Amino acid sequence: MRITLSFMAGILLYLVLGKQFGYSLGLLAFFFGAFCLAFVLARKYKTAFSRDLSGILGLLTWFALGLAVAEQHTVRHQPSHLTHLPEAPAYYVGVVDDYILQKPGYQSTVLAVQQVQINGQWQLTTGKIQLSVPHDSEQDFELSYGDVLLVKGAPQEVAGPLNPNQFDYRAYLANKNIYHRHYLQSFQFQKIASEPPNLVLYHSIRLRRYLDALLRARINERREYGISSALILGVKDDLDNSIRQAYADTGTMHVLAVSGLHVGLIFGVLMFALKYFRQRVGQRWLGAILVMVVLWLYAFITGLSPSVLRAVLMFSLVTVGFALQRRTIIYNTVALAALVLLYINPYNLLEVGFQLSFLAVLGIVYLQPRLYKLLELRNRVLDFVWEYFTIALAAQLATFPLGLFYFHQFPVYFWLANIIVVPLATLVLYSGMIALVLNAVPGLGGLLFQVHFWMIWSMNEFNLWIQRWPEALINGIDISLFQTYLLYALMLAVILFLALKRLRYFAMVVAAVAILVVQEVWEGIRQKEQQTLAVYSVRGATGIGLVQGQQAVLLADSALSQNPGNYTFNVQPHLWQLGVHLPEFISLGNAARMLAPVQILPDSNQLLVWQGQRWLILSHAPQLQPKAGFAVDYLLLRQNVRLKPQELQTYTFKKLILDGSSAPWYRQRLHQQLDTLGISYYDVADSGAFVLTIE
């Protein structure tokens, strides 16, 4: 545990330093040399001080190793990386280096670049590109792992979030060492060879595709097939959106992500089956080898996904301990698994799945036995229900602050949903795997798939039923990273107080609660006094938020109001940050009729007057000449409004705003004309949302 925490601290320091440290290898050499010297002296003198000093220097060596490993894995610092190219390439060659993800109308993957052509010259280059290609043929996959592609054009650097508090996809990709993306048309790429970087992963993906096709052929309903493929193979491309949302709202989404739960279920069956392999050393090792072979085979058929590898590695370590008859400390086993995975890829530390899975395991290991002992039941059925309840509660408690920070919601009935869904998911997993193995047996294979189908149907219907319960989901919870740390500090202080019964830990509990309360009260006061006007950056749509206190009106066109995804991704995070949960949607076309602060002008354009701010919104070619002395604070152009830029000089305004409803070609042309005329403007599609705080 100490070694892993030291290693993690080194990784975190490197990330905090902005990934520009540059002295990690020297620091590692210094601490390692000091540790070797201190270790020799400790062996010679055998004093407590010398032993403590060598131990501290040993942990500092692991700390420096974490720093060095993180630096070595940050490929952007390599001179040959894409970001250091003097010019944009005309062509580039790369190999498909990841899974192929199916999206509506296109497929996405990662291309590892090998060469680029600049000014007719090819040169070796490194870097990864998020690649999207149209899925417009009858074949299931346009690309395969290991395909070498010749691509025409230059990739673009990944843009940052354009709206406040929006999910930062650029940072998400940067944690995977991906800094560029490219949307391709069919004529822009050509497969020229097949050179899989990893043959094991290549054959693993091929096997997973074969099994996925088998599930698709055997399970006719798309909804149930999507759940089966996600739960057994980890393929979530065909998950129905309504079902995905139902599992998320009931707190059971984890059963669809092939991870520690699934590996643990398989491990439990294997250990039960091999309980007689405990008499002799040879028998124990034979049993351990069989268990590990099956676990790694399962990892192989699920595409060697990181979440499965984490769990398989951890259970493999437990299995080795069983063979050695060593009393294992599960915390050290978990820590060793984390250490190995972080050494392979230190950026795993920033992965949400990595954080949640290890926290859930630690919560189950420590909290579940203590919660389980609170109630002793002699009835086997009730005891089984109580055990599953305590497992779900322990995992939820351990991941609760992080879940609020990342997902801004809390499923109220998670405890009930998990009691039913987890056992059902267990049966679905077992039945699906048996059906795949016995698929070729006439009659039996079809019967097993029917049983498998109806189990999935029952699980889906139960989740949909729970989702419809009153107050099933509390969402819109917005907490900062500091508050997340504070919640974990509070939980740790409560655990220490209950375990050690010392008053100082209770004082820490009180202090943490007091800080959280003061923060919430202060934030509530600030939010009640706020007045904010925001023009959001939404592609192809207009969205104007008028926030007063904790209430808001959203003036929107149909492209935004009728597309829940547009609102959820672009606008909702900012409103939640401001304490607004349910804004009032008002269509721009009907704003005047709905008592919104908007007046419809005779030429069908609009005048927005709110909190002393005057906005002229031009959606149509203006047909009215402004009167002398008429002035507005801002002029908003939308929907490719037809006008001559010279006409804008007849208006008096501080700044011109271009929203996302206008086409890129229109905005680009207007930029040049506005620059020529010297008119100050702000384009939300390029610069992000325009947010005006009114004092």
Side-chain angles (χ1 to χ4, degrees), residues 321-333:
F322 157 77
L324 293 171
Q325 281 197 321
R326 293 286 298 272
R327 178 177 172 270
T328 59
I329 300 175
I330 190 62
Y331 303 107
N332 282 335
T333 304

Side-chain angles (χ1 to χ4, degrees), residues 50 137 218 226 322 352 370 386 417 426 525 647:
S50 63
S137 67
R218 283 293 197 167
F322 157 77
V352 179
R370 289 160 177 79
W386 174 244
T426 304
I525 293 173
E647 297 176 17

Side-chain angles (χ1 to χ4, degrees), residues 376-433:
E376 185 175 346
L377 298 170
R378 296 183 179 180
N379 184 287
R380 288 188 177 183
V381 175
L382 293 178
D383 185 66
F384 173 81
V385 171
W386 174 244
E387 183 178 12
Y388 265 95
F389 173 77
T390 55
I391 290 173
L393 182 60
Q396 193 72 37
L397 286 173
T399 57
F400 171 69
L402 212 57
L404 293 185
F405 177 71
Y406 284 123
F407 307 117
H408 312 292
Q409 64 182 31
F410 179 73
V412 175
Y413 303 115
F414 75 91
W415 50 274
L416 175 59
N418 277 277
I419 289 175
I420 304 299
V421 171
V422 172
L424 267 177
T426 304
L427 296 175
V428 168
L429 178 65
Y430 292 156
S431 63
M433 296 185 73

